[in-house]
Amino acid sequence: MATSAVTAAAPTSSSKSFRIVSRTMQSLVLLIVSIGTVITVAWLVLNPRPPAFRLDSLSLSGLPSASDASSRPPGPHVRIQLTATNPNKKLGVVIQDVNLWLAIVHCKCQLPLLSPNHTASSEYHISNRSQEVLIFEGKTALRPRRGMRKKRPFQFPVGEAVMSVKMKVSVKFMHAYWPSKRMSVKVGCENLSLELSSSTRTGKLKDRGKDCLVRFS
């Protein structure tokens, strides 16, 4: 009889252990879900908004002349200055992984920034309701847009050109000790009129500046 009692007690002990482990796992899952819910609700309340960008200046130098015309002329040197504004009241932002290029409207070509200035910061910290000046400078390369074929040598227009500055960045939102939230943002500064000089082979923005369109991607 004693042997039977011991044998019967073994499954009972095993069942208790299983229930303890099961309840522990359920508690952990519930805790993780609760923490995730609290963080999600907190971010919804904070309502992160992307930084606003304004193009302050745009200048080109080393523009190809008519004698340099070829199917793939060297790209000019470009200098771009933007002002980034953090509109969030309670969130700081960090701008990272900047991918910037220019688009030439009349030829449907792109000028990606190949060798940015090494003195430029790799990331820009902007506290709540603050601004930061971003300067990008370097060489570019002329590339037709995807799907476009060049049928004749490229030449910059004489006197004036319409261009766009496009940028894709990673924005990290931060608030106190909360886990940071990272989002991708697309920036477009459209219909920029540049005055081109054939004698100095330079170009500069005709207007004082322009606000850019910003959206989450």
Side-chain angles (χ1 to χ4, degrees):
M1 295 294 293
T3 303
S4 300
V6 172
T7 305
T12 304
S13 177
S14 177
S15 299
K16 288 182 178 180
S17 299
F18 176 78
R19 286 197 296 269
I20 292 173
V21 172
S22 178
R23 289 176 181 175
T24 302
M25 293 299 295
Q26 290 176 0
S27 299
L28 287 174
V29 171
L30 183 60
L31 178 62
I32 293 173
V33 171
S34 300
I35 293 175
T37 302
V38 170
I39 293 175
T40 301
V41 171
W43 279 113
L44 289 175
V45 172
L46 292 171
N47 187 26
R49 291 185 291 166
F53 291 87
R54 178 175 176 80
L55 181 72
D56 299 322
S57 65
L58 167 61
S59 60
L60 304 173
S61 60
L63 295 176
S65 62
S67 59
D68 297 332
S70 64
S71 59
R72 190 178 291 274
H77 185 276
V78 63
R79 185 182 188 277
I80 300 172
Q81 178 175 315
L82 301 104
T83 298
T85 303
N86 179 8
N88 298 283
K89 295 181 179 180
K90 299 181 180 180
L91 294 173
V93 300
V94 180
I95 299 174
Q96 302 171 316
D97 305 326
V98 177
N99 182 17
L100 185 147
W101 68 95
L102 283 74
I104 308 174
V105 175
H106 86 281
C107 74
K108 297 182 179 180
C109 299
Q110 294 181 347
L111 292 169
L113 193 62
L114 296 180
S115 54
N117 186 2
H118 293 295
T119 60
S121 175
S122 59
E123 59 181 30
Y124 302 86
H125 296 256
I126 310 177
S127 57
N128 55 312
R129 290 298 181 92
S130 298
Q131 293 182 333
E132 181 75 18
V133 174
L134 285 60
I135 298 177
F136 304 99
E137 186 174 0
K139 294 291 292 182
T140 61
L142 181 64
R143 295 177 182 173
R145 290 183 184 175
R146 185 176 299 177
M148 297 294 297
R149 293 183 178 180
K150 297 296 293 178
K151 296 182 179 180
R152 57 183 178 179
F154 170 81
Q155 286 183 322
F156 266 88
V158 178
E160 183 176 336
V162 179
M163 305 182 72
S164 299
V165 174
K166 298 182 181 294
M167 186 167 57
K168 187 174 182 179
V169 301
S170 176
V171 179
K172 183 167 65 174
F173 298 92
M174 299 181 300
H175 176 69
Y177 298 103
W178 284 101
S180 60
K181 185 180 183 68
R182 189 185 302 271
M183 303 182 75
S184 182
V185 171
K186 289 184 177 180
V187 183
C189 310
E190 307 286 347
N191 299 321
L192 305 172
S193 296
L194 274 78
E195 183 178 0
L196 306 180
S197 172
S198 57
S199 59
T200 60
R201 299 174 65 178
T202 59
K204 63 179 181 179
L205 192 66
K206 295 179 65 175
D207 303 324
R208 293 184 178 181
K210 192 169 186 179
D211 294 330
C212 305
L213 299 176
V214 182
R215 63 182 178 87
F216 288 118
S217 60

